Amino acid sequence: RIDLGISLFKSDSDAVCNKQIFLDEDVCILPKSHPLCEKKFIQLSDLKNESFIGQLNSERNPIISHKNILLSHNPAIHLNVSSAPMACYLVSQGQGISITSDVVAREHAHLDIEIRRLKPETRNRVYILKSTNRDFFPLIDLLENMIFTKFN
């Protein structure tokens, strides 16, 4: 059941309407003292042999573009977490580096993390999800329009 949601993943359910609102870029997050902070961009090859904080979904699969990174560049997986905010916190504590969405990284920039763009860049679709089987209060439609307007 859903009233309104924002997701990196499209719903396969016929009961949910998926509307793409923007493309979010993946970024590398680093502790402030990390040597890679000297670089303007992080190449995926720079991750080799780094202590990497991976993010797994509930099925224990890598999320976002991490699967490609893990398969092709073999960073040393130090920790796996189930949420991007937890990855940001652990990075701020010097536990490793990670890759997360630019939106999440900027929301957690106050944690003493450095944010660097990745090369090659990867972008992920972000969707508004809304039930197709329910009538909504005008407030839900208003919120959906505000979100859609902000990102378009």
Side-chain angles (χ1 to χ4, degrees), residues 3-14:
D3 288 332
L4 186 69
I6 299 175
S7 177
L8 291 173
F9 305 101
K10 249 181 156 175
S11 173
D12 294 331
S13 171
D14 291 338

Side-chain angles (χ1 to χ4, degrees), residues 53-112:
I53 299 168
Q55 295 176 49
L56 302 177
N57 66 18
S58 60
E59 287 83 39
R60 306 286 300 158
N61 295 318
I63 59 173
I64 309 180
S65 61
H66 298 157
K67 181 183 260 183
N68 295 334
I69 293 161
L70 297 176
L71 292 175
S72 60
H73 295 285
N74 294 327
I77 303 297
H78 180 63
L79 294 166
N80 281 310
V81 297
S82 60
S83 73
M86 179 55 76
C88 292
Y89 175 76
L90 290 171
V91 167
S92 76
Q93 298 301 303
Q95 297 298 307
I97 65 175
S98 192
I99 293 174
T100 194
S101 81
D102 185 52
V103 169
V104 172
R106 295 199 184 286
E107 286 176 5
H108 293 85
H110 66 279
L111 291 176
D112 270 348

